[in-house]
Amino acid sequence: MANAPRTDDPDTLFATTFKAALQRRELSLEVVREHLKSHGITLSVATLSYWQSGRSQPERSQSLRAVDALEPFLGLPGGALRSLLRRRPRGWVPPHDPAAVRGVYGENSDVERALGDAFPHLNAGLRRLVVHEAVRVNEHRLVDEVRVTVAVRAARTNARHLTVVHTLDAAMDDAFDVTVPSGPPPRTWFRPEPNCVVAEIPLGRPLARNETAVVEYTVRTAATGGVSHQHESRVTTPLQTYLLQVRFHPSAVPATCWHYYRRHLGAEPSRQLAALDGLHTTHLLPMKSAPGVHGVEWRWPD
């Protein structure tokens, strides 16, 4: 069962009251969205869902207008919802939500098979803010290098490392490495059945709650068998920025490239054609890095 907001926690009183009012009136979030739209207020169903789950709360002026419009619609006295909003410190980090992780990855994903019982709590102490991935496709049509820079914020005190999982298109137990520019080497291991590399990338020092850090690492494989057709990132909480660059070897240029997004693994993707530049590179930079699966896919010439 997914974790529900605590009814005795002042930080989640708004969420529990809002959700209870929706259930009492038997209102769907879509109906609420349409009601707000009739008042000239445009909010997404996802935003309303975050409010009732406690993952976020109304803060901007339009959101506060929405709260005022919702109180009579939900049969609540004026100010009943707004009075429950707590001013959160700059950089407030929402609580870890295992249901959100499961919602993106689904059941029995490659990452869950790699992590086992630790999967629901993947990086519970950190939130990714900015992710930049630079992917290299070699002359064998295989992704052989992924360079990653991640800005993270600590969700709790004493966060010490970022756990990363990369599914390789071709790998053997001794045919990969994970390196960092400086500091102690990461702890790594390989899971043959899902073909995943797992690494614990150490932070520069233990972080206090709400502190930020930048993590850099590179995953390389020396394998030559297999062919790559895509690279993607699974996002379980909204990112400020996600940038993916894919560079192809001059002797291995695809016939067609697409950018794509899926709400979760296994869902039908929305795709759009992506051009290559003069360096045989394409990049994906979404306007909004919503939870889901963001990636680049390509088709090789016959």
Side-chain angles (χ1 to χ4, degrees):
M1 181 176 178
N3 289 342
R6 287 173 47 194
T7 58
D8 61 343
D9 185 347
D11 282 330
T12 60
L13 277 176
F14 173 86
T16 54
T17 304
F18 179 42
K19 184 174 183 179
L22 291 173
Q23 293 174 340
R24 184 173 60 252
R25 300 286 291 235
E26 298 183 346
L27 295 171
S28 70
L29 295 181
E30 183 63 36
V31 168
V32 172
R33 186 184 72 84
E34 289 300 318
H35 174 76
L36 293 174
K37 188 176 180 180
S38 71
H39 285 68
I41 303 169
T42 302
L43 291 177
S44 68
V45 169
T47 295
L48 296 170
S49 177
Y50 287 167
W51 289 2
Q52 73 166 347
S53 69
R55 292 177 64 186
S56 68
Q57 69 171 19
E59 293 179 348
R60 298 182 180 181
S61 58
Q62 178 171 251
S63 297
L64 296 175
R65 283 178 53 221
V67 171
D68 294 338
L70 283 174
E71 287 169 344
F73 184 60
L74 296 174
L76 297 172
L81 283 176
R82 191 187 266 256
S83 65
L84 300 178
L85 295 174
R86 292 175 60 86
R87 186 172 182 83
R88 289 166 170 166
R90 185 177 179 85
W92 177 83
V93 179
H96 178 70
D97 183 2
V101 177
R102 179 80 63 189
V104 171
Y105 285 91
E107 297 291 336
N108 199 34
S109 68
D110 50 355
V111 175
E112 181 169 9
R113 282 179 280 139
L115 294 178
D117 292 342
F119 168 74
H121 309 289
L122 176 62
N123 293 318
L126 294 171
R127 296 293 178 275
R128 297 188 301 172
L129 304 176
V130 176
V131 177
H132 176 198
E133 294 186 292
V135 175
R136 185 177 69 187
V137 182
N138 64 21
E139 65 272 26
H140 304 291
R141 300 184 174 185
L142 179 69
V143 171
D144 68 349
E145 180 182 275
V146 181
R147 290 183 290 112
V148 185
T149 301
V150 187
V152 298
R153 186 184 301 279
R156 62 191 181 203
T157 298
N158 206 33
R160 293 176 177 269
H161 65 263
L162 176 72
T163 299
V164 300
V165 183
H166 287 265
T167 302
L168 304 179
D169 296 318
M172 297 172 56
D173 204 358
D174 59 350
F176 75 91
D177 64 11
V178 182
T179 59
V180 296
S182 59
R187 175 175 172 255
T188 63
W189 62 97
F190 182 69
R191 292 287 184 260
E193 194 274 325
N195 213 36
C196 285
V197 172
V198 184
E200 292 180 350
I201 312 296
L203 305 178
R205 60 177 173 80
L207 299 182
R209 180 179 171 84
N210 287 329
E211 278 195 300
T212 57
V214 176
V215 179
E216 298 176 275
Y217 66 92
T218 301
V219 180
R220 296 184 181 89
T221 175
T224 57
V227 175
S228 299
H229 297 280
Q230 66 182 33
H231 182 85
E232 63 185 24
S233 183
R234 291 85 177 264
V235 177
T236 57
T237 57
L239 297 176
Q240 293 178 10
T241 305
Y242 174 61
L243 172 60
L244 168 60
Q245 296 171 284
V246 182
R247 176 168 293 178
F248 298 92
H249 192 277
S251 64
V253 178
T256 313
C257 271
W258 298 271
H259 297 162
Y260 68 87
Y261 168 76
R262 293 182 283 171
R263 293 185 62 185
H264 56 81
L265 287 180
E268 190 68 24
S270 59
R271 302 195 305 177
Q272 61 181 26
L273 285 172
L276 297 182
D277 62 20
L279 300 175
H280 315 299
T281 299
T282 186
H283 75 276
L284 172 63
L285 183 61
M287 291 292 290
K288 292 184 178 181
S289 300
V293 183
H294 301 262
V296 172
E297 179 184 2
W298 54 88
R299 177 171 56 83
W300 295 109
D302 296 333

